Amino acid sequence: MSHAPIRSVVIVGGGSAGWMTAAALSRLCAAGMSLTLVESEEIGTVGVGEATIPPLLDFNAALGIDEAAFVAATRATFKLGIEFVDWGRLGDRYLHPFGTIGRAQMGVPFHQMWLRQRLLRRPDLDPGALGPYSIAAAAAMRGRFAKPTANRDAVLSGLSYAYHFDAGLYARFLRNFAEQRGVRRVEGRIASIEKRGEDGFLTGVTLRDGRRVEGEFFIDCSGFRALLLGEALGVPYRSWRHWLPCDSAVAVPTERIGPPLPYTRATADSAGWRWRIPLQHRTGNGHVYSSSHASDEVARTALIDGLDAPATAEPRVLRFVPGRRERMWERNCVAIGLSGGFIEPLESTSIHLIQQGILRLLALFPDSGFAGEEIDAYNAWLVEEYEHIRDFIILHYHASTRDDSDFWCDVRAAPLPDSLAERLALWRGKGRLLPIANGLFTTDSWLAVLVGQNILPAAADPMTVLLPPDETGRFLAHLRSVIARTAEALPFHEAFLDGTAAHPLPERRVG
Ligand code: FAD
């Protein structure tokens, strides 16, 4: 088997996936590798990925991107979590915050303390809702924002954040970054893809005008079309519609009204849910729905009726099939982005999955031997991540008692993946939340959604006997109070964005 280094890489597609991949690989250009990205302006991009999650900070930092420049270029705002409205029941509202919720005591997880106090059913010891134990939630609900501190004793160390941004501007920002480092951009529409006869490896793509781009390694970032992995290499798509029936979205921007909120809002509707994402210059809005439960016209009307400001463009409909390719890497081609799969945008995980695809590719970057065991490892690694995220998203639909539409009755009645059914059984018994190795969503994320949607365990961990209820009650009251005072003293999100926030920020400690 050859161990010669790969000399030429071709990326097909210039959406967020293509340019994130190009930016991350661009340092290889200095080492002599040729990196070409082909994109078609005529086809365009999906470009609605506007809400992100905290790991994106690591991606940008690894590229050495200056945050202030990035925020300015992408018209970004800061995001502390997602507010879910009307999910568990009509009228319910909770925040899935970034960062931590509460603090463990004597090795007993925070949520077990909280649960035990609740199960005591003593009004004087009632721990209340979860939100006040999270600094991200407490700040978000007050419209305030600050960055976390490194000091683990400080309340602000429990805060974590991400961004809302204009996905088109992010791709443009990364395009500049990548081109400055030697990535070659080719504009044109691909008409055919060539393969080698003996082993089916890809060799090149030919554009409509006859130009040909050759390479040794291909990265398919062509979006839902999956030109290379799907069409040329025939890797099948595994649909998850039986678990996640939403398969359409209608999106429309509106004028900005008032200061931007530091969180995304996801409001459940009768055949899906609606998003509201505040950027610096506008608000992104969309309605994700099941086409089996609502027509495009009904979905469009629900979106327009729910807007809080005038629309600035015509609503745009998008179709998708929730699911993933059976393999994301086949022969000499890896699919990153929508070509590899799409779950649905509820927890803003798509750009994160692009990031994971890139990081794992960097960890297993091939030589010209294309070792089969490395390809298998890549596929197994990503499938695990996709399925963990899938389970978490299904949970939001399953954990609802809404019965006001066929959609809600159908999603709740749908059978669960075994992995999720097992996780729920552990939770319902004694509130067991086992961490998922390398999983994106922490036990605090699962906690926020389970409790937020009224799924509560029958009992608490027996280890809570270590914690006398009155003492625990005092500790929880102290925690709520110190978090509230910290949140109250933070700058308003808008002041933080425009640089007028006062410094230094308060450093309150828990102890
Ligand atoms: P695309 O943006 O579709 O780009 C495909 C590229 O391939 C384009 O450049 C196109 O020109 C090129 N191409 C295709 N065919 C050819 C051809 N024949 N020749 C040449 N070039 C070609 N993600 C989040 O993280 N957060 C969110 O809030 C979020 N919201 C979403 C809401 C909806 C309704 C949808 C559908 C997606 C959302 N996503 C979100 C996902 C996010 O938009 C995508 O993950 C992200 O934009 C990456 O898309 P992509 O680059 O894979 O594909």
Short mmCIF file of all heavy atoms in Angstrom, two decimals, residues 13 27 30 40 56 68 105 125 131 141 147 209 294-296 388:
data_model
loop_
_atom_site.label_atom_id
_atom_site.label_comp_id
_atom_site.label_asym_id
_atom_site.label_seq_id
_atom_site.Cartn_x
_atom_site.Cartn_y
_atom_site.Cartn_z
N GLY A 13 -18.38 22.37 -3.63
CA GLY A 13 -19.41 23.10 -2.88
C GLY A 13 -18.83 24.23 -2.07
O GLY A 13 -17.78 24.07 -1.43
N ARG A 27 -4.05 25.29 5.62
CA ARG A 27 -2.63 25.33 6.04
C ARG A 27 -1.80 24.29 5.27
O ARG A 27 -0.59 24.40 5.18
CB ARG A 27 -2.49 25.17 7.54
CG ARG A 27 -3.01 23.89 8.07
CD ARG A 27 -3.08 23.91 9.59
NE ARG A 27 -3.97 22.86 10.06
CZ ARG A 27 -3.62 21.94 10.94
NH1 ARG A 27 -2.44 21.97 11.49
NH2 ARG A 27 -4.47 21.01 11.31
N ALA A 30 0.51 25.49 2.24
CA ALA A 30 1.89 25.92 2.45
C ALA A 30 2.85 24.74 2.39
O ALA A 30 4.04 24.90 2.13
CB ALA A 30 2.01 26.62 3.80
N SER A 40 -20.93 26.71 -7.52
CA SER A 40 -21.75 27.26 -8.59
C SER A 40 -22.64 28.37 -8.05
O SER A 40 -23.52 28.11 -7.22
CB SER A 40 -22.60 26.13 -9.19
OG SER A 40 -23.70 26.67 -9.85
N LEU A 56 -18.33 25.84 18.21
CA LEU A 56 -17.85 26.64 17.07
C LEU A 56 -16.72 27.60 17.51
O LEU A 56 -15.85 27.95 16.72
CB LEU A 56 -18.99 27.44 16.43
CG LEU A 56 -18.58 28.15 15.14
CD1 LEU A 56 -18.35 27.15 14.01
CD2 LEU A 56 -19.60 29.18 14.71
N ALA A 68 -13.64 39.46 17.42
CA ALA A 68 -14.29 40.74 17.14
C ALA A 68 -14.45 40.93 15.63
O ALA A 68 -15.50 41.38 15.14
CB ALA A 68 -13.47 41.88 17.74
N GLN A 105 -22.55 18.42 44.98
CA GLN A 105 -22.12 18.52 46.38
C GLN A 105 -21.76 17.13 46.85
O GLN A 105 -22.56 16.20 46.68
CB GLN A 105 -23.26 19.03 47.27
CG GLN A 105 -23.57 20.50 47.13
CD GLN A 105 -22.56 21.37 47.87
OE1 GLN A 105 -21.52 21.70 47.32
NE2 GLN A 105 -22.86 21.73 49.10
N LEU A 125 -38.91 23.69 51.20
CA LEU A 125 -37.68 23.17 50.58
C LEU A 125 -37.82 23.00 49.07
O LEU A 125 -36.93 22.44 48.42
CB LEU A 125 -37.31 21.82 51.21
CG LEU A 125 -36.90 21.85 52.67
CD1 LEU A 125 -36.57 20.45 53.17
CD2 LEU A 125 -35.70 22.77 52.90
N GLY A 131 -34.04 26.86 35.72
CA GLY A 131 -33.40 28.03 35.10
C GLY A 131 -32.55 28.85 36.06
O GLY A 131 -31.41 29.21 35.73
N MET A 141 -32.41 35.39 30.25
CA MET A 141 -33.76 35.86 30.56
C MET A 141 -33.78 37.35 30.93
O MET A 141 -34.81 38.00 30.89
CB MET A 141 -34.37 35.03 31.69
CG MET A 141 -34.75 33.63 31.24
SD MET A 141 -35.99 33.69 29.93
CE MET A 141 -35.22 32.92 28.56
N LYS A 147 -18.79 37.13 28.81
CA LYS A 147 -18.05 35.90 28.48
C LYS A 147 -17.68 35.15 29.76
O LYS A 147 -17.55 35.78 30.82
CB LYS A 147 -16.80 36.27 27.70
CG LYS A 147 -17.16 36.83 26.36
CD LYS A 147 -15.98 36.85 25.47
CE LYS A 147 -16.33 37.62 24.23
NZ LYS A 147 -15.18 37.87 23.42
N ASP A 209 -18.87 24.07 -18.92
CA ASP A 209 -18.14 24.71 -20.02
C ASP A 209 -16.93 23.89 -20.48
O ASP A 209 -16.10 24.35 -21.25
CB ASP A 209 -17.69 26.12 -19.61
CG ASP A 209 -16.77 26.11 -18.38
OD1 ASP A 209 -16.33 25.00 -17.98
OD2 ASP A 209 -16.49 27.17 -17.82
N ALA A 294 -49.09 19.45 7.25
CA ALA A 294 -49.47 20.83 6.89
C ALA A 294 -49.02 21.09 5.45
O ALA A 294 -47.93 20.66 5.05
CB ALA A 294 -48.80 21.84 7.83
N SER A 295 -49.86 21.81 4.72
CA SER A 295 -49.47 22.19 3.35
C SER A 295 -48.48 23.36 3.44
O SER A 295 -48.38 24.02 4.49
CB SER A 295 -50.71 22.62 2.56
OG SER A 295 -51.20 23.82 3.13
N ASP A 296 -47.81 23.64 2.34
CA ASP A 296 -46.88 24.77 2.32
C ASP A 296 -47.62 26.07 2.64
O ASP A 296 -47.10 26.94 3.34
CB ASP A 296 -46.22 24.90 0.94
CG ASP A 296 -45.28 23.74 0.66
OD1 ASP A 296 -44.96 22.99 1.60
OD2 ASP A 296 -44.88 23.59 -0.51
N HIS A 388 -26.43 10.15 18.38
CA HIS A 388 -26.61 10.79 19.69
C HIS A 388 -27.44 12.07 19.53
O HIS A 388 -28.40 12.33 20.27
CB HIS A 388 -25.23 11.05 20.30
CG HIS A 388 -25.23 11.99 21.45
ND1 HIS A 388 -24.20 12.84 21.71
CD2 HIS A 388 -26.14 12.24 22.40
CE1 HIS A 388 -24.47 13.57 22.78
NE2 HIS A 388 -25.65 13.24 23.22
#
